[in-house]
């Protein structure tokens, strides 16, 4: 989680396992593409920086954040992945829609992690406004995609 005292893109490079023999699935939401595209870019670059081969990083898109659960579930069933990363962005609006989507995705990914043999990394930004999302997708607080990639590598080695 990004805070004033913690940048999402900062970590000890030497503490990360080698990812050269790992395969990763990434499910990314098309909604808020400026944000989710930046998250995806961060995740892919970080996986590759730690040895993951481009041909072992498989990206699938879904229309919105709610569909991330279905996409991740399909990857757990059919992909042969060492870890799966979900990337999305939900920005609070004027209706309770934000709460329902965030809660549904959170519950769905938690359920997948409890029942699947493959770790699913939670990369859903849930922000109050666009600026907060930008700050966490490559802005002043780093990139949540970087953090998710590191988490995926570590959990694949768990």
């Amino acid at each position: 989680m990004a805070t004033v005292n913690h940048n999402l893109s900062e970590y000890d490079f030497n503490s990360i396992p080698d990812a050269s023999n790992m395969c990763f699935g990434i499910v990314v939401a098309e909604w808020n593409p400026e944000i989710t595209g930046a998250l995806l870019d961060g995740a892919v670059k970080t996986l590759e920086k730690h040895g993951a081969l481009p041909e072992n990083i498989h990206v699938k898109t879904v229309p919105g954040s709610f569909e991330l659960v279905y996409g991740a579930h399909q990857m757990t069933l059919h992909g042969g992945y060492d870890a799966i990363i979900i990337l999305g962005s939900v920005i609070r609006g004027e209706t309770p829609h934000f709460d329902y989507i965030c809660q549904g995705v959170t519950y769905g990914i938690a359920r997948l992690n409890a029942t699947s043999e493959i770790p699913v990394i939670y990369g859903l930004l849930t922000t109050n406004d666009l600026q907060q999302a930008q700050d966490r997708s490559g802005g002043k607080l780093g990139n949540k995609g970087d953090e998710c990639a590191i988490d995926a590598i570590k959990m694949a080695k768990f």
Side-chain angles (χ1 to χ4, degrees):
M1 180 169 126
T3 66
V4 176
N5 299 319
H6 176 76
N7 185 304
L8 294 164
S9 298
E10 293 177 357
Y11 60 93
D12 176 11
F13 185 90
N14 296 320
S15 71
I16 310 306
D18 177 35
S20 60
N21 292 321
M22 296 180 187
C23 188
F24 298 95
I26 301 175
V27 185
V28 60
E30 295 171 341
W31 196 259
N32 294 323
E34 169 193 344
I35 304 302
T36 60
L39 294 172
L40 176 61
D41 186 54
V44 169
K45 284 180 179 176
T46 300
L47 290 171
E48 290 177 349
K49 184 168 45 173
H50 290 282
L53 301 174
E55 59 268 23
N56 289 337
I57 301 170
H58 302 253
V59 178
K60 298 285 187 179
T61 60
V62 294
S65 291
F66 196 76
E67 292 79 24
L68 290 167
V69 176
Y70 177 83
H73 183 233
Q74 291 304 305
M75 283 188 156
T76 66
L77 296 175
H78 306 294
Y81 301 106
D82 294 294
I84 296 162
I85 300 168
I86 62 112
L87 299 171
S89 173
V90 184
I91 300 170
R92 188 179 299 280
E94 297 177 2
T95 69
H97 179 75
F98 172 91
D99 299 313
Y100 299 128
I101 298 299
C102 296
Q103 185 177 35
V105 175
T106 301
Y107 174 77
I109 297 303
R111 187 171 152 261
L112 278 176
N113 273 309
T115 60
S116 171
E117 299 295 320
I118 301 165
V120 180
I121 307 305
Y122 185 87
L124 180 68
L125 290 182
T126 57
T127 59
N128 290 317
D129 55 47
L130 179 60
Q131 185 61 56
Q132 288 179 345
Q134 291 169 335
D135 290 346
R136 290 159 177 77
S137 61
K140 69 180 183 180
L141 295 175
N143 190 322
K144 182 73 171 175
D146 296 344
E147 181 184 59
C148 290
I150 296 304
D151 291 350
I153 294 167
K154 287 181 174 182
M155 291 306 295
K157 284 288 190 185
F158 184 73

